[in-house]
Amino acid sequence: MKEIVIDPASRSPFNGGKFEGWGSSFCWWANRIGYSDRLTGEAARLFYGQGEGELGLNIIRYNIGGGDDTSHHHIRRTDSAIPGYLVKQGDGSLAYDWTADERQRNVLVAAVRAAGTAAIVEAFSNSPPYFMCKSGCSSGAEKPEEDNLLPGQYEAFADYLAAVAEHFQTDWGIRFQSLDPMNEPASAYWGAMSEKQEGCHFDPGESQSRVLLATKRALDRHGLSGIILCGTDETSIDVQIDSFTKLSPEARDAIARIDTHSYMGSRREELQELAVRNGKNLWMSEVDGGDVAGVSAGEMGAALALARRIITDLNGLEASAWILWQLIDSHISSEGMNGNKDSGMPDTQGGYWGIAVADHDRGELVLTKKYWAFWQFTHFIRPGMRLLRIAETAATATGTGDTADCLAAYDEENGTLVIVAVNYLSCPRFFTADISAFLHDRHRRPGIRAYRTSGSLTDGENAAPAECGHIRWGHLKACLRGNSITTFVIG
């Protein structure tokens, strides 16, 4: 058994030390379910509501679609063909169609309503409209490693994004807190006529700098200088360091926050230090995966992998927000959409993307163990709380990495300490944490509540109350069930 110590004085160097919250990208799942009032309402409640068994997310990343040539039918997913608002007419002129993207927007409105005053909406772009692209396709260039935006279209692209942001604010009452005009721009994933999605490569350095500065000018022209410009949402933490470093001084000054994905890379502390050194906020703005963790964990394998990713990212980056890619990645439907078939129910004994499945035939959402794993964090570590640093006592350190198995946060207003602890072993594991610095009255034993997710959906625990911890002499002591996630709420 080893002991951890939670530093009461620690706080994230970002956003004044206050956590901004949890969220999800809305492409592509919102585009897929937004036709159904029933699915839309259920998703908004379960994901963004704050009641019992609800996640309480508050961050929404809305995708401003570029829109592809209507003669193209290469995207094979049912959810990822996102309509654009700027449409090329038969005579070659351009006009805005504000009825476009109704499905994603329906879910956005419902989620904002469910999240209430805590809601934060960020806009981002995967690609410019197809007619601004060299390939004439919003899925990427003929050579994926090359820029696809036409040299003379930087200002037009930026103006498109700003015009959409202005319309959302003035006509629909939804203000974007921030805007990122690029998505994984240094990647060579985005090729013309792709079966998957929109995408656009921008070389690090001059090209990315041009996009950012053009977007800043466009926001100013549209009277939206209060919208935070951020970037560059690279797929890898290590690539994000490289891309930010290669921006021009003017472009670095223009962005107020670094957004990064954490699919790859390991230099979390280096990115954190880079952001601090340059006076930028930091978000982990996208990740998910089909990984598993634990030992013979069954349905908990995917849940434990998600927990490990959250803990690794937030302990390493100390980012002020953590955002999942898609809440719903799989769909069950006898009809499909856009002439394409859905993937159906994933094998939940293995790895899969998303935390819920939309059953369109029944009009309901199927929650997985990943949903309840996410709940263990999001329901208790709330916006405005302080992420805490965790250390291992020298006397008990063994180098086996247990400090990476928990995340802690503190609610200064209510004096509540939250610890999420994970056991990746199949057998029980003892857990002890020195929390004496948080116990101001040594003669009063604070209240403690514990909630646990383990086993399978049908016969396991899904955020169930658990009697597994006690406090003695300033220490939290608990026995963690095998392949489990346990949240302790103390205070």
Side-chain angles (χ1 to χ4, degrees), residues 309-343:
R309 173 61 67 180
I310 292 170
I311 290 169
T312 301
D313 283 344
L314 288 179
N315 282 338
L317 292 168
E318 294 186 293
S320 64
W322 195 95
I323 299 161
L324 190 71
W325 163 225
Q326 291 219 86
L327 294 165
I328 303 170
D329 192 76
S330 299
H331 301 266
I332 300 169
S333 172
S334 56
E335 295 184 1
M337 182 174 278
N338 300 324
N340 297 325
K341 294 294 185 181
D342 286 296
S343 57

Side-chain angles (χ1 to χ4, degrees), residues 175-315:
R175 180 183 176 275
F176 294 146
Q177 180 239 43
S178 52
L179 171 64
D180 191 336
M182 295 173 282
N183 173 64
E184 300 182 351
S187 300
Y189 302 149
W190 322 123
M193 310 305 285
S194 164
E195 293 187 355
K196 188 176 182 182
Q197 70 168 98
E198 291 187 338
C200 187
H201 178 91
F202 293 96
D203 280 337
E206 181 183 359
S207 181
Q208 292 188 13
S209 297
R210 285 186 66 188
V211 175
L212 290 168
L213 291 174
T215 304
K216 181 70 170 72
R217 289 190 294 269
L219 290 173
D220 291 344
R221 284 196 305 272
H222 284 261
L224 301 172
S225 57
I227 292 181
I228 296 168
L229 183 65
C230 51
T232 52
D233 274 310
E234 297 289 6
T235 188
S236 162
I237 290 167
D238 299 357
V239 174
Q240 183 62 59
I241 294 171
D242 181 66
S243 288
F244 181 84
T245 304
K246 288 181 178 178
L247 292 174
S248 68
E250 296 79 11
R252 287 199 298 270
D253 288 343
I255 67 173
R257 185 177 71 227
I258 296 175
D259 281 9
T260 187
H261 302 175
S262 63
Y263 291 103
M264 294 175 283
S266 59
R267 294 153 59 192
R268 288 175 175 81
E269 291 184 6
E270 186 177 339
L271 178 57
Q272 180 210 89
E273 292 167 0
L274 180 68
V276 170
R277 203 162 53 243
N278 285 272
K280 310 301 180 186
N281 193 0
L282 178 64
W283 273 15
M284 198 305 293
S285 55
E286 181 187 311
V287 77
D288 195 8
D291 303 324
V292 294
V295 179
S296 301
E299 287 185 59
M300 279 299 294
L304 293 169
L306 176 62
R308 172 173 281 168
R309 173 61 67 180
I310 292 170
I311 290 169
T312 301
D313 283 344
L314 288 179
N315 282 338

Side-chain angles (χ1 to χ4, degrees), residues 6-12 16-20 22 315 377 380-390 407-420 434-441 444 446-447 487-491:
I6 301 173
D7 180 0
S10 61
R11 65 176 63 237
S12 164
K18 293 185 176 181
F19 189 58
E20 292 183 77
W22 311 88
N315 282 338
F377 295 88
F380 299 106
I381 300 178
R382 303 301 301 153
M385 292 180 70
R386 196 157 43 91
L387 296 179
L388 301 171
R389 292 197 182 109
I390 297 170
L407 183 70
Y410 187 62
D411 183 340
E412 291 179 296
E413 183 176 341
N414 297 310
T416 303
L417 175 66
V418 175
I419 302 173
V420 186
D434 182 349
I435 60 171
S436 57
F438 297 89
L439 306 181
H440 306 297
D441 185 350
R444 185 182 69 85
T487 302
F488 300 95
V489 183
I490 303 162

Side-chain angles (χ1 to χ4, degrees), residues 10-184:
S10 61
R11 65 176 63 237
S12 164
F14 307 113
N15 193 48
K18 293 185 176 181
F19 189 58
E20 292 183 77
W22 311 88
S24 169
S25 165
F26 267 38
C27 79
W28 309 300
W29 65 272
N31 174 57
R32 180 66 180 88
I33 73 166
Y35 73 91
S36 166
D37 290 343
R38 182 172 175 178
L39 288 172
T40 293
E42 189 73 348
R45 180 184 68 81
L46 285 169
F47 301 151
Y48 285 84
Q50 296 156 58
E52 185 177 352
E54 297 167 357
L55 295 181
L57 307 181
N58 66 302
I59 298 176
I60 299 161
R61 297 194 76 228
Y62 175 82
N63 176 219
I64 300 178
D68 204 8
D69 189 324
T70 55
S71 67
H72 292 185
H73 303 287
H74 48 86
I75 291 180
R76 305 310 303 166
R77 289 185 63 114
T78 60
D79 52 6
S80 60
I82 307 295
Y85 289 103
L86 189 57
V87 180
K88 195 169 189 177
Q89 308 294 299
D91 61 1
S93 63
L94 301 177
Y96 280 92
D97 175 10
W98 297 116
T99 67
D101 200 23
E102 183 179 15
R103 295 188 297 269
Q104 185 184 186
R105 201 166 60 251
N106 284 345
V107 182
L108 169 65
V109 171
V112 167
R113 187 181 302 117
T117 57
I120 296 173
V121 185
E122 172 171 86
F124 74 102
S125 167
N126 282 326
S127 173
Y130 74 93
F131 46 80
M132 297 182 187
C133 297
K134 295 176 184 176
S135 66
C137 177
S138 63
S139 288
E142 296 291 344
K143 295 182 178 180
E145 69 277 6
E146 295 182 356
D147 288 2
N148 198 32
L149 181 62
L150 288 163
Q153 293 294 314
Y154 279 79
E155 296 294 335
F157 172 44
D159 195 75
Y160 167 60
L161 298 178
V164 172
E166 181 182 11
H167 191 88
F168 265 77
Q169 181 168 310
T170 59
D171 288 65
W172 294 326
I174 295 178
R175 180 183 176 275
F176 294 146
Q177 180 239 43
S178 52
L179 171 64
D180 191 336
M182 295 173 282
N183 173 64
E184 300 182 351

